[in-house]
Amino acid sequence: MAMMPALRALVLVAMCPLLRAFTATAPVARFSLPAAALAPSSASHVKRLRMSDAELDDDVCEVSLPAPSWRPPSREEMVSRLESEEFDILVIGGGAVGSGVAMDAATRGLRVAQIEKNDFASGTSSRSTKLIHGGLRYLAQAFQKKVPPRSLLDVVKNLHFKPEYLKIVATDLGERGNMLRSAPFMATPLPMLVPLYRWWEVPLFGLVGFLYDLIAGTRRAVPPSRVVSADEARFTFPALSDADPDGNALVGALVIHDGQQNDARMCMHIVLTAIEAGAACVNYAELEALTTEGGDVGEPGARVSGAIVRERIGGREIKVRAKQVVNACGVFSDAVRSMAQPGVKPIMSPSFGTHLVLPEYDSARGAGLVWFTNDGRVLYLLPWEGSTIAGTTDKPGDVSFQPQPTQEEVDFILGECNRVVRQPLGASSVRAAWTGVRPLVADPNAPPGDTKSLSREHVVESLDCGLVTIAGGKWTTYRKMAQDAVDACVRANDGLSHSTACVTEGMQLIGCDRQGEMCGGEYDRITAALRDDYGLEKDMARHLRYNYGTHALQIVELGQAEPSRFLIDGG
């Protein structure tokens, strides 16, 4: 029996030789693919392309569309490099930030190694809200001591001004634009409605939307914000409630735009871009200990010079030599800091965020919903791959490799959703749930006795032994975090003086049509090519294009080259 299209595509992704460099040496799964997809394409690689997915029944055009030729080296080749080379920078951690550091350093001409204990993006980086956003909550908190206000009097009484929050929003919005441009085949603008139930909220949130766009400036990369009527809000998001719990009727909505991404795949594109630039990135490589020169660990004058790594698939121990080591382990950063300097004061303060997966009808196709909870947090209902994501929570807890949602968090999310949707949601509505751990950080440079606070920005720390730690921040700012970390390494380490300047701002990732020669930046043409020339069903073609960009063609052509690895429908 043939698999569902989306599932077939996911299995295709898991076994594709393009990703061999990142998979364990396990038996290859066999899966179902339409026979037409394995039929040879025309020798000239001329593809019959429709101009966009929305126009698949219109006239077609002819354009040359060869598949990309670059493939990453095998995992075995990169493991061999860990053993034989001395690197300029060794990055510990394979999430968004660690991968960003590897990419940033490699594109500066530095020799880079990256290790990750499990799969790339297996931790917090694959357990996000899937948003690329500027921080609507921080914008509100820049002007209000209490969020959300309950009356116009509340707005006046709680007025204040915190410019540091505006700085955070400005940085986040700039990086939002950068991320949307770096992988436009996947990172796309998503409209989100903020429901308004009081007359005074209409001008107030209209001003919020105006400021959100004004701060973004020319880097906005999304459509402008606007206020819409109650009727348009209901039409856009049919599940939206006509009244709030206090009985106030819906009077309109603010429509803002942020970005949406597949977080795990985005991280893989960053890893692949680092590898393309020359980095050796190895997963299932666990840090056992840090090595030093000039003394033992913790002794004055000792400097971190590499690491002892256990290669978990082959089981052997590898000594990796590096002039500089970067700790990008997220919530586990304190463990690496303690290896380098025993007794060092912890800086991490993990916060758990839970998300629920609900049926598709609980969100609108192509639009999300965002609102403030009673305690001032922000919650989302977002369309995601045929379902709805609801979240998130913000709860302190202990560091864990496999955090699990609690019933309390599930009930909180459902209760908050029921404040804004027509049909009540219950436990039976929950299809799945996941929890990620935010790497919130206390600024180690804060004055003694300053207990406020966890930094709402990222922190770069350099220990006396030379270890550089990059922590805090969020997915949207991974690129800027990586730039700041590598800048700190170059400033502190004379052995990296040959580094060039950062080039990642505005740089496009693997999967993009960088030269405009394949599809002219019109990625829906790839979807059409996959359907017309390879016989893929619409959902599978869209899935591959969305997750792989131009390399979707390479994946299918690998199937042509090795048809024995595939099961054919009905075969």
Side-chain angles (χ1 to χ4, degrees):
M1 186 176 187
M3 298 182 188
M4 295 173 60
L7 178 59
R8 295 203 326 254
L10 286 171
V11 179
L12 172 61
V13 166
M15 63 73 60
C16 172
L18 179 65
L19 301 182
R20 243 187 231 147
F22 314 113
T23 54
T25 52
V28 175
R30 297 174 67 83
F31 61 93
S32 184
L33 191 68
L38 300 182
S41 58
S42 62
S44 65
H45 284 285
V46 173
K47 311 299 182 185
R48 297 177 67 245
L49 302 177
R50 294 183 171 90
M51 296 305 292
S52 73
D53 246 12
E55 301 169 325
L56 287 177
D57 295 322
D58 293 344
D59 294 335
V60 297
C61 62
E62 299 277 344
V63 276
S64 177
L65 196 65
S69 59
W70 181 82
R71 299 187 190 183
S74 69
R75 181 178 182 279
E76 289 72 23
E77 289 176 273
M78 290 190 282
V79 170
S80 178
R81 287 184 60 194
L82 293 186
E83 295 178 300
S84 62
E85 295 184 22
E86 179 182 10
F87 296 93
D88 292 320
I89 290 183
L90 168 63
V91 184
I92 305 170
V97 176
S99 301
V101 171
M103 179 179 72
D104 183 290
T107 54
R108 297 190 194 207
L110 298 174
R111 296 186 302 276
V112 178
Q114 179 190 16
I115 59 171
E116 161 58 40
K117 177 180 179 179
N118 295 303
D119 281 318
F120 293 111
S122 59
T124 302
S125 294
S126 60
R127 302 179 190 186
S128 73
T129 314
K130 321 300 180 189
L131 283 178
I132 306 167
H133 62 110
L136 190 64
R137 181 179 64 169
Y138 293 146
L139 180 58
Q141 290 176 331
F143 299 99
Q144 287 285 291
K145 289 181 284 188
K146 178 184 176 184
V147 177
R150 299 298 178 190
S151 66
L152 193 54
L153 181 60
D154 262 0
V155 174
V156 176
K157 286 171 57 178
N158 290 298
L159 276 174
H160 72 168
F161 181 54
K162 295 284 188 179
E164 62 268 28
Y165 284 98
L166 291 184
K167 179 184 175 184
I168 294 171
V169 175
T171 299
D172 292 356
L173 287 173
E175 291 304 311
R176 180 191 69 178
N178 190 77
M179 280 197 73
L180 287 168
R181 295 183 183 97
S182 71
F185 57 89
M186 175 198 296
T188 55
L190 177 71
M192 294 183 290
L193 280 70
V194 182
L196 309 176
Y197 291 100
R198 299 173 178 87
W199 69 265
W200 52 266
E201 290 179 335
V202 174
L204 178 65
F205 278 85
L207 178 60
V208 169
F210 171 77
L211 289 174
Y212 204 54
D213 295 342
L214 181 66
I215 294 170
T218 57
R219 304 168 299 173
R220 193 176 71 212
V222 298
S225 303
R226 62 192 180 98
V227 173
V228 299
S229 67
D231 286 342
E232 187 172 347
R234 293 187 196 97
F235 179 81
T236 305
F237 204 98
L240 182 60
S241 176
D242 288 327
D244 69 8
D246 297 325
N248 299 301
L250 182 70
V251 294
L254 169 67
V255 180
I256 64 169
H257 290 78
D258 275 320
Q260 191 172 42
Q261 64 168 342
N262 181 334
D263 49 9
R265 281 305 316 166
M266 180 66 81
C267 186
M268 282 305 309
H269 284 286
I270 298 167
V271 172
L272 287 167
T273 305
I275 293 172
E276 183 188 41
C281 304
V282 180
N283 62 357
Y284 291 92
E286 183 175 0
L287 175 67
E288 296 278 303
L290 295 173
T291 59
T292 58
E293 58 186 19
D296 293 333
V297 170
E299 291 183 350
R303 182 174 180 83
V304 173
S305 60
I308 303 298
V309 176
R310 181 166 62 88
E311 196 275 295
R312 296 179 60 195
I313 293 175
R316 64 188 184 274
E317 192 172 85
I318 301 171
K319 182 177 181 179
V320 183
R321 295 168 297 148
K323 298 174 184 175
Q324 179 67 55
V325 177
V326 176
N327 171 19
C329 293
V331 293
F332 303 101
S333 294
D334 280 337
V336 179
R337 294 173 67 247
S338 295
M339 282 186 184
Q341 187 171 309
V344 67
K345 181 181 177 182
I347 60 173
M348 302 309 301
S349 182
S351 171
F352 288 70
T354 292
H355 298 80
L356 309 182
V357 180
L358 307 172
E360 182 178 23
Y361 53 74
D362 289 317
S363 67
R365 186 177 180 86
L369 196 68
V370 54
W371 70 99
F372 286 99
T373 65
N374 281 323
D375 60 0
R377 286 180 275 183
V378 171
L379 238 68
Y380 297 91
L381 277 174
L382 305 171
W384 177 250
E385 295 195 345
S387 296
T388 298
I389 292 177
T392 180
T393 57
D394 188 359
K395 182 180 180 182
D398 296 326
V399 173
S400 170
F401 280 104
Q402 294 294 334
Q404 299 296 319
T406 66
Q407 189 62 50
E408 178 186 359
E409 291 172 305
V410 172
D411 290 344
F412 171 80
I413 294 173
L414 291 175
E416 288 294 334
C417 288
N418 287 334
R419 294 177 54 231
V420 296
V421 297
R422 287 175 180 269
Q423 299 297 324
L425 301 173
S428 61
S429 303
V430 181
R431 293 177 170 177
W434 72 79
T435 296
V437 188
R438 296 185 193 89
L440 301 182
V441 60
D443 187 346
N445 301 314
D450 182 0
T451 58
K452 72 176 180 195
S453 260
L454 303 174
S455 175
R456 287 164 176 80
E457 299 178 276
H458 60 271
V459 169
V460 179
E461 177 201 48
S462 296
L463 294 178
D464 292 340
C465 61
L467 178 72
V468 169
T469 295
I470 174 68
K474 63 181 183 181
W475 231 119
T476 305
T477 59
Y478 87 90
R479 190 210 63 82
K480 184 64 168 63
M481 295 173 67
Q483 177 183 347
D484 289 350
V486 178
D487 283 347
C489 293
V490 173
R491 283 195 303 268
N493 193 320
D494 292 339
L496 306 182
S497 60
H498 58 288
S499 171
T500 60
C502 176
V503 298
T504 57
E505 186 169 7
M507 187 181 78
Q508 291 196 310
L509 304 179
I510 282 284
C512 288
D513 183 15
R514 290 164 171 166
Q515 305 302 322
E517 297 174 351
M518 291 189 59
C519 60
E522 298 291 336
Y523 294 98
D524 283 332
R525 294 184 175 188
I526 295 173
T527 307
L530 292 171
R531 294 184 62 182
D532 293 349
D533 292 286
Y534 297 104
L536 299 187
E537 297 175 20
K538 180 172 67 175
D539 288 346
M540 180 185 281
R542 284 176 171 168
H543 174 88
L544 290 175
R545 187 273 298 170
Y546 176 77
N547 285 286
Y548 294 93
T550 57
H551 284 269
L553 297 166
Q554 189 181 54
I555 288 173
V556 177
E557 292 197 352
L558 285 167
Q560 291 180 341
E562 302 181 62
S564 62
R565 297 171 65 87
F566 298 79
L567 290 177
I568 309 304
D569 282 357

